[in-house]
Amino acid sequence: MEWIVTKDYKSMSDTAADMIVEEIKKNQHLCIALPTGGTPIGTLENLAAAYNERNLDYSKLRCFNIDEYVSLGKDHEQGYYYFLNNHLYSKTNIDLSKTYVPDVFAKDLEFEAELYEGMIQENGYFNLILLGIGEDGHIGFNEPSIVHEAICHVADLDNSTIDANARFFENKTEVPKQAITLGIGTILKAKKIILIANGKKKSDVIKKLAITNEIDPKFPASFLLTHPDVTIICDKEAVSCKE
Ligand code: F6R
């Protein structure tokens, strides 16, 4: 794993966006998986700014949601497709017909998750995946567990994740309890992985990731140790250990 520590959130976002732009310049047809949440907002907005300022063409990109809450549709303000559309797609020439998200209203959600995996497979898996990380070490919504599903599946969110995400909702009871997420195997099939993290709240999990040297299913981010091309970009606060 390559580690890049930046002075603050802005420069973490600049660094991540610059790396993604370089990949887009190399391959306009890039197949990319994108996260939501607090961490990636700056990176996504930089990608939108780069499109406008650097005369880039995003029309051939294929963009996949890493996850989507069960029960929040594409036009729900707290939904994850809405988030990506709001921060990136709608500000660029990304072709919406090449943006993908599971149908979280499907009658059979497990089957829908398998269809989503199939779509990713048809697209040759990801050239690049941008990940955030949960305070409990989750990537996508692969929560700590003794067993993991390799492919896309329906995940139950841990209480700590529901608590962490409650800040985006009027109250905690509105936070969905399930999501369709990429599996650990889907993530690891990406050619290149960039993980971003910022702020003191992430310092414990980032410290754990830095010292981990073996796979621990109860620490899902540890699976990244098996991947040959992972770059972790975090700001100083996320590496400042609380004694
Ligand atoms: C969201 C996702 C999650 C988040 C993680 C960190 O699409 O896949 O793994 O990346 O929960 O969220 P923030 O950035 O809000 O701290």
Side-chain angles (χ1 to χ4, degrees), residues 34-40 66-67 80 131-135 138-141 161 164-165 167-168 181 198 202:
L34 294 167
T36 63
T39 317
I66 288 179
D67 33 34
Y80 284 174
L131 290 175
I133 184 168
E135 287 165 50
H138 68 239
I139 48 175
F141 276 130
T161 302
N165 291 358
R167 68 192 195 279
F168 299 113
T181 180
N198 74 286
K202 296 288 168 71

Side-chain angles (χ1 to χ4, degrees), residues 220-236:
S222 66
F223 283 99
L224 298 176
L225 290 172
T226 64
H227 192 280
D229 189 352
V230 179
T231 305
I232 317 267
I233 308 172
C234 44
D235 74 353
K236 261 192 194 154

Side-chain angles (χ1 to χ4, degrees), residues 126-168:
F126 304 116
N127 301 108
L128 173 64
I129 180 164
L130 177 68
L131 290 175
I133 184 168
E135 287 165 50
D136 60 1
H138 68 239
I139 48 175
F141 276 130
N142 297 281
E143 299 279 21
S145 168
I146 43 170
V147 282
H148 283 282
E149 301 211 32
I151 67 165
C152 295
H153 59 280
V154 182
D156 294 327
L157 273 50
D158 279 0
N159 273 334
S160 62
T161 302
I162 293 173
D163 283 345
N165 291 358
R167 68 192 195 279
F168 299 113

